[in-house]
Amino acid sequence: GLEKCPLCREPFTEYNESKQAAQSVALAERGVLWAQKHVGSRMVRGEGFHKQEKIGLEWINKAAAQNFPIAQFLIYTFYRDGLTSLQRESHDKAIALLLKSANP
């Protein structure tokens, strides 16, 4: 796990999963891109959070909207792999996201 925020270097004081999840959400709410992607991807997968695909995708989309390539690529993988919440979306959308993530 993370001991300190890689951007602001604030220490994570406790290392239990619920405390770390709360700290990650706090950073995501402050607009920290990696935290938004982290919280979103864990929510989508149900790792450390209750599985919530729609809310997780909202977090990832916040980071992707600010041109965070890792978030854009992650959304592409969800489209490519057929994430339940995205099944109605097109293959073209997945390709567009892949190209955007590769050319920030």
Side-chain angles (χ1 to χ4, degrees):
L2 297 173
E3 293 179 22
K4 292 184 179 180
C5 169
L7 297 177
C8 65
R9 302 291 185 226
E10 291 179 14
F12 291 134
T13 56
E14 293 184 38
Y15 301 106
N16 67 48
E17 193 169 285
S18 63
K19 180 74 172 180
Q20 192 170 7
Q23 290 171 329
S24 294
V25 168
L27 290 170
E29 289 172 343
R30 288 189 357 211
V32 177
L33 298 178
W34 71 263
Q36 290 173 339
K37 191 274 310 170
H38 177 76
V39 168
S41 64
R42 292 181 61 91
M43 282 184 171
V44 166
R45 293 183 178 100
E47 297 171 351
F49 296 90
H50 293 292
K51 187 171 183 170
Q52 302 174 70
E53 287 183 358
K54 187 174 181 179
I55 294 171
L57 286 169
E58 289 173 10
W59 278 116
I60 298 166
N61 277 314
K62 287 180 182 187
Q66 296 179 69
N67 293 319
F68 189 51
I70 298 168
Q72 293 168 337
F73 182 77
L74 185 59
I75 293 171
Y76 154 75
T77 64
F78 291 150
Y79 277 99
R80 180 196 66 201
D81 297 342
L83 184 67
T84 305
S85 300
L86 301 174
Q87 284 183 346
R88 286 185 249 150
E89 299 293 333
S90 69
H91 178 71
D92 294 337
K93 176 81 173 182
I95 298 303
L97 285 165
L98 177 62
L99 292 173
K100 188 173 182 179
S101 72
N103 300 299

